[in-house]
Amino acid sequence: MSSFVWMRVLESAAERYDRGVRWLSGGRIDEVYARVAELAVGGASATRPQRVLDVGCGTGGVALACAALGAEVVGIDRDAGMLAVARAKALPPGAVGTVSWLELGAAEIEDRFPAERFDAVTACLVFSEMAGDEQAYVLRVARSRLVRGGRVVLADEVEPVNAASRALYRLRRLPAAALTFLLTQTTTRPAAALADRLAAAGFVSITEERRWGGAFAVVRGEVP
Amino acid sequence: MSRPVQRRGAAGEASLGLRDLLLRMLPHAAPTGLQAIGRPGPESPVLVTGNYTVTVRRLRRAMRGRHAWLLCADSRGINVWCAAGGGHLTHHDIIAAVRVAGLADLVEHRELILPQLCATGVERRKIEAATGFRARWGPARLEDLPAFLDRGRRVARRERAMRFPLRERLEMAAAWGWPLFALAAGVAAWLGGWRLGAAVAAAVAAAVAGLYAAVPRLLLSGRGRWWSFAAFAGFGFGVGVLALLLAGDAEPSRLVWLAVAVVAAVAALSVDFEGTTPWYASALAASGRASIELVEDRCSGAAECVQVCPRDVLAMDGRRRKVEITRPDDCIRCGACIVQCPEDALRFRMVGGGVVEPATVRRTRLNMLGRRTVEIEERDGGEA
């Protein structure tokens, strides 16, 4: 993996986002989408379809993966261009779930959805674009929109824990960040302390999986 | 869900430093969230801005001695004008800032004062619908905020139009000129010694400063654009020759190097000189080949377009209750009027005849990298 800081370039023209993210992840981003979906809805009781809110759904990778597992998904994103790409996609063959799309910011969840509306909330490559106080706010609101036992699953670029890996990661990321800045005048920061943020928002049974040299984390928590 | 207010922002009130002057084109992020200016209370005004350090410092300085809340939305460390135009500061960011700050619990009134220059990317009515706060346009320049507040929160017409005084033009010349200056002078010194380096430095500095100093009267349309850049490259070259003559080193080979360096520096700046100013339409934006068009039947006379135009291009005809495009040649195609019109009565008309409707402008902001996503309808227009 290079660095997902390149997302900033990809986001500026939505139709190239999917191709770019696949390239950035060495073709493995679909594995991440599938893993997030599995952690969000996999293993849940089959009495009714699981209701999932995908925050910052972008072009719909995670939302469609959840729908493929039979979930009823609402994908929200503030970028109308990305949503247009998502809307144009068909559900995966054999999928029994549903998906709908809505232009909405992460901090606007409370405007549209009542308390305990969802069984799972997902966010992939979203928290690295938010300020820390907004992350905390979104997690608090997301928790209130989840049923008891509901799951939150976050997937994002993070810094490796190991000092040597972290130094190497920073060296590798620096030119990518510089070039991204030249092209877009913006950058992203790796998300920090995602598990701690989940705990601070009141989630329990928190687990964290690392991949890509420890520079990408998938974090899951539950509402007690 | 309220959170602590920053009593003294990290951006402080200190005067602008060297970084703010020379590296202002780089993001320089101030903390997001709510800051206190003076000792604000529940009735104090709430001023919204982006989290660009230079803006926050200047705003705090302009408001010295007053009491207000300063709500810094996440503009990714970019100034409000560029962030909103590039899609990096939207109404979603301001809604998030209001929510995260717990503003509704902190103030008793329900009014936000938005910076006029964010109107290219921030949809005012969506903020009102989501937050319950009335969102009102403030003046284009933050130093006019005290007078705006004293006047009962009304913007005078002269405060809507962008100004670009000489001091700010020279600051911009320093910000954009020094990388060219340093690169050209460094290469020249390496190739031809310190005298040539010094002459190139003087030449590039003179050309860049001259261009910015001439901005209000600089001709930048059609072939005149290239004559303008050529004239200032020539001016810089003359200054460089003078420097070489004074150093007793004006050999022909030196003059060739000097000419190459000045032309290269001015050519680099000319790629989008217009876009570095608030005075001209960006040479790279997709809207550069467009003009605004009023669909008069749709116009309800709300005149929000008049309030947000930074170049005073539009005016309200009170008798007819319709807006008029009175100074089309001054339009910089920022799209603010199109984004804010409640009736979608304004749109872009491309040179080739196609139209870009408001929904597309709101979605793309016509930013440079989004250019390929802009949908231009190949038809004569008229009623959409």
Side-chain angles (χ1 to χ4, degrees):
Chain A
M1 188 189 76
S2 171
S3 168
F4 282 101
V5 70
W6 292 109
M7 276 195 316
R8 282 290 188 195
V9 180
L10 305 176
E11 286 165 356
S12 61
E15 70 280 0
R16 65 188 174 206
Y17 181 86
D18 284 338
R19 196 168 59 238
V21 164
R22 284 211 172 78
W23 175 73
L24 286 179
S25 65
R28 290 172 293 175
I29 194 67
D30 290 327
E31 292 170 24
V32 172
Y33 296 156
R35 182 60 182 151
V36 171
E38 186 185 345
L39 288 171
V41 302
S45 75
T47 52
R48 60 169 172 76
Q50 293 290 290
R51 301 161 301 173
V52 178
L53 175 68
D54 185 25
V55 177
C57 63
T59 58
V62 167
L64 291 169
C66 291
L69 295 179
E72 289 176 356
V73 189
V74 180
I76 64 167
D77 201 289
R78 45 182 285 168
D79 188 324
M82 301 285 264
L83 285 172
V85 175
R87 282 194 183 98
K89 291 181 178 176
L91 281 170
V96 292
T98 62
V99 61
S100 58
W101 313 101
L102 198 58
E103 184 184 333
L104 202 67
E108 298 158 52
I109 295 170
E110 65 198 71
D111 297 346
R112 295 294 186 107
F113 307 111
E116 302 189 7
R117 164 73 172 75
F118 295 103
D119 300 298
V121 172
T122 56
C124 183
L125 291 168
V126 176
F127 273 55
S128 52
E129 300 198 44
M130 286 183 198
D133 49 3
E134 189 178 355
Q135 292 178 10
Y137 179 85
V138 170
L139 283 175
R140 282 199 305 269
V141 176
R143 184 181 180 280
S144 72
R145 267 54 191 170
L146 283 167
V147 297
R148 185 170 293 181
R151 287 82 58 197
V152 63
V153 184
L154 310 179
D156 228 309
E157 184 172 8
V158 293
E159 290 202 317
V161 176
N162 176 280
S165 301
R166 193 162 57 243
L168 195 64
Y169 160 83
R170 287 179 180 173
L171 269 177
R172 208 175 55 220
R173 192 176 195 275
L174 188 64
L179 193 54
T180 299
F181 170 76
L182 278 175
L183 292 170
T184 68
Q185 290 73 61
T186 58
T187 187
T188 62
R189 291 209 169 94
L194 287 176
D196 293 344
R197 289 191 186 283
L198 288 194
F203 290 94
V204 297
S205 305
I206 297 165
T207 59
E208 179 171 334
E209 300 173 5
R210 293 277 183 140
R211 54 181 69 205
W212 299 332
F216 195 88
V218 181
V219 186
R220 181 184 187 274
E222 289 182 9
V223 177
Chain B
M1 287 193 185
S2 62
R3 56 185 290 277
V5 174
Q6 301 157 33
R7 285 287 158 191
R8 195 176 55 200
E13 289 182 45
S15 58
L16 302 186
L18 203 59
R19 174 179 177 175
D20 297 326
L21 180 66
L22 298 182
L23 299 180
R24 64 173 50 188
M25 71 284 283
L26 303 178
H28 190 183
T32 54
L34 198 65
Q35 297 183 18
I37 297 175
R39 294 183 305 282
E43 296 296 337
S44 298
V46 178
L47 311 174
V48 178
T49 191
N51 70 325
Y52 179 53
T53 299
V54 176
T55 301
V56 173
R57 282 186 181 151
R58 284 187 159 158
L59 198 151
R60 295 184 70 92
R61 200 164 50 191
M63 290 291 292
R64 193 172 287 164
R66 291 168 180 267
H67 308 295
W69 298 106
L70 177 57
L71 186 63
C72 291
D74 187 2
S75 64
R76 283 71 186 167
I78 302 173
N79 69 75
V80 162
W81 172 249
C82 294
H88 303 303
L89 173 65
T90 72
H91 42 279
H92 294 296
D93 295 298
I94 294 176
I95 294 166
V98 170
R99 294 272 165 76
V100 173
L103 195 63
D105 299 329
L106 251 162
V107 296
E108 288 177 1
H109 64 80
R110 289 292 178 267
E111 184 177 83
L112 303 172
I113 296 166
L114 304 178
Q116 182 195 316
L117 295 186
C118 76
T120 54
V122 169
E123 295 176 46
R124 186 184 65 79
R125 278 176 297 281
K126 287 191 175 172
I127 296 173
E128 293 185 337
T131 65
F133 278 74
R134 181 187 176 196
R136 179 194 286 265
W137 296 113
R141 293 179 59 94
L142 52 84
E143 64 265 28
D144 293 330
L145 274 168
F148 161 82
L149 293 170
D150 291 344
R151 209 183 292 121
R153 301 174 192 185
R154 282 189 304 106
V155 183
R157 183 177 175 182
R158 67 178 181 284
E159 294 169 351
R160 291 183 193 135
M162 178 50 76
R163 302 188 297 273
F164 197 27
L166 182 64
R167 179 182 58 79
E168 290 180 16
R169 279 179 271 144
L170 293 180
E171 283 180 10
M172 203 58 82
W176 286 98
W178 81 262
L180 302 171
F181 172 96
L183 184 66
V187 171
W190 179 57
L191 290 173
W194 71 269
R195 286 189 182 88
L196 180 62
V200 165
V204 172
V208 174
L211 273 166
Y212 278 96
V215 154
R217 293 175 187 80
L218 201 59
L219 180 59
L220 287 174
S221 58
R223 290 190 179 184
R225 183 175 194 270
W226 302 109
W227 283 114
S228 294
F229 287 113
F232 280 94
F235 169 64
F237 180 71
V239 170
V241 170
L242 190 63
L244 283 175
L245 285 170
L246 289 172
D249 199 17
E251 296 172 12
S253 64
R254 302 264 192 235
L255 298 179
V256 171
W257 281 118
L258 178 67
V260 168
V262 175
V263 168
V266 172
L269 190 62
S270 74
V271 171
D272 191 20
F273 174 79
E274 294 91 330
T276 69
T277 78
W279 207 257
Y280 303 107
S282 166
L284 296 176
S287 59
R289 295 169 288 107
S291 56
I292 53 166
E293 178 179 80
L294 177 69
V295 183
E296 201 173 88
D297 290 349
R298 296 184 194 166
C299 179
S300 63
E304 190 156 353
C305 54
V306 179
Q307 293 176 44
V308 298
C309 177
R311 293 303 308 274
D312 201 20
V313 168
L314 301 138
M316 182 68 188
D317 181 340
R319 189 179 54 80
R320 296 175 58 232
R321 297 294 302 163
K322 297 282 183 188
V323 164
E324 290 180 336
I325 302 172
T326 52
R327 297 171 13 140
D329 292 344
D330 286 346
C331 178
I332 56 174
R333 276 91 72 188
C334 67
C337 57
I338 299 173
V339 169
Q340 303 304 331
C341 177
E343 309 297 339
D344 286 353
L346 287 150
R347 61 191 184 185
F348 280 125
R349 167 76 65 179
M350 306 303 286
V351 170
V355 295
V356 182
E357 291 290 353
T360 305
V361 177
R362 291 188 186 106
R363 180 164 56 78
T364 64
R365 273 98 198 172
L366 295 183
N367 59 347
M368 185 178 77
L369 285 163
R371 181 175 177 161
R372 68 176 65 176
T373 69
V374 174
E375 296 156 5
I376 298 169
E377 295 181 30
E378 299 298 336
R379 59 185 172 80
D380 290 337
E383 284 303 305

